[in-house]
Structures are given as C-alpha cells and as structure tokens.
Amino acid sequence: MLILSCRGGGRSRGVSAGDEAPDSWRDRASCLDGDPELFFPEGKSAAAVQKAEAARAVCSACPVLGQCRELELAPTPYGGLRNDFGVFAAMTADERRAELRRRARRAGAAARGGAAGAPAGWSGRGCGCGGRAGGRCRSRRRR
C-alpha cells in the first residue's frame, strides 16, 4: 500500500505501510534534488532516450537503489506497476513490466515444478533436457 505524504518544499513522497521510519530511505534518494522532468522522458525520440539514460545514471549511483527497486517491483493489488510512466529504480516502465513478467514466469514454473520457459502442458520428464530444448524435444510426455 502506498500512502502519499507532503513534506517540506511541497515535495510529494511515498510512505509504504509497514515502514519502520516513514520516508527514512527515501530521504537519501539521489533523485530528490534532481530535475523531475529528467525522470519522465516523453516518447522514443533520441532526446527522450538520452533523458532516460541520464535518469538511469542518477539512479545507478543512488545509495538506496536496492530499496527503490524492491518497492517498484513489489506485487501490487491490481497486478500492475506502481508507476506506469517514467524511470524508477534505474528502469523504464517497459523494463519494469518485462521484469515483472519474468518473475511471474519463474514463479509459475517453480510452482509447476517445471523448467522456466517450458511450454505449457509439458512435464519436463523424459529425455532429461528439462525444457531446454524449447519445445522441440519429442521424447517428453504431456501431463
């Protein structure tokens, strides 16, 4: 759950339920003193890509990158991103969506006991390739 609070200077900062000291790690974020426009490039033009790379550089040098990434990639009640636009945790929205899909695939494969990337319905038993053949293995049996 993300609760927004407003503190000095009119900045809006997030407070997650369960934080021991609200805003404690966010107060050390490198992005707080930067230009907010840098973190929200518009479009896919060369200038937008440059802005995204500059924002990524700020994030990469941030002392709280780990906490920020953990918050950004934590499951949400509706299954989407916490922030649908912009660069957060040194990742664009497209990169965060891709990472969430990878995590969901890995979790699903682990729950089924199969290999990540194995086609649905294949057991991963038989030849011993464990799904690494990418669905081309004929010796595996259907469940």
Side-chain angles (χ1 to χ4, degrees):
M1 179 174 166
L2 186 67
I3 306 163
L4 293 179
S5 66
C6 213
R7 293 186 15 162
R11 285 192 191 134
S12 181
R13 298 184 187 170
V15 179
S16 293
D19 276 352
E20 290 179 18
D23 288 334
S24 59
W25 64 266
R26 288 177 190 86
D27 287 337
R28 297 189 320 261
S30 299
C31 59
L32 290 179
D33 297 322
D35 178 17
E37 294 295 319
L38 182 68
F39 295 91
F40 294 94
E42 295 181 24
K44 304 281 183 185
S45 68
V49 171
Q50 282 182 327
K51 281 176 76 172
E53 288 301 319
R56 232 187 276 253
V58 171
C59 289
S60 294
C62 184
V64 294
L65 175 60
Q67 291 98 323
C68 184
R69 187 163 286 170
E70 182 180 323
L71 176 67
E72 282 301 313
L73 297 174
T76 59
Y78 55 88
L81 295 175
R82 290 183 184 281
N83 297 290
D84 288 326
F85 305 99
V87 175
F88 289 90
M91 301 171 87
T92 64
D94 291 339
E95 292 168 338
R96 292 192 306 275
R97 282 186 196 95
E99 178 62 23
L100 288 175
R101 282 191 302 270
R102 274 192 294 276
R103 288 181 180 196
R105 275 196 310 269
R106 276 189 240 130
R112 289 188 309 271
W122 291 97
S123 66
R125 293 178 300 232
C127 71
C129 76
R132 292 183 299 274
R136 296 180 304 275
C137 181
R138 301 263 183 220
S139 66
R140 291 193 297 170
R141 300 180 301 246
R142 288 219 179 249
R143 286 187 193 177

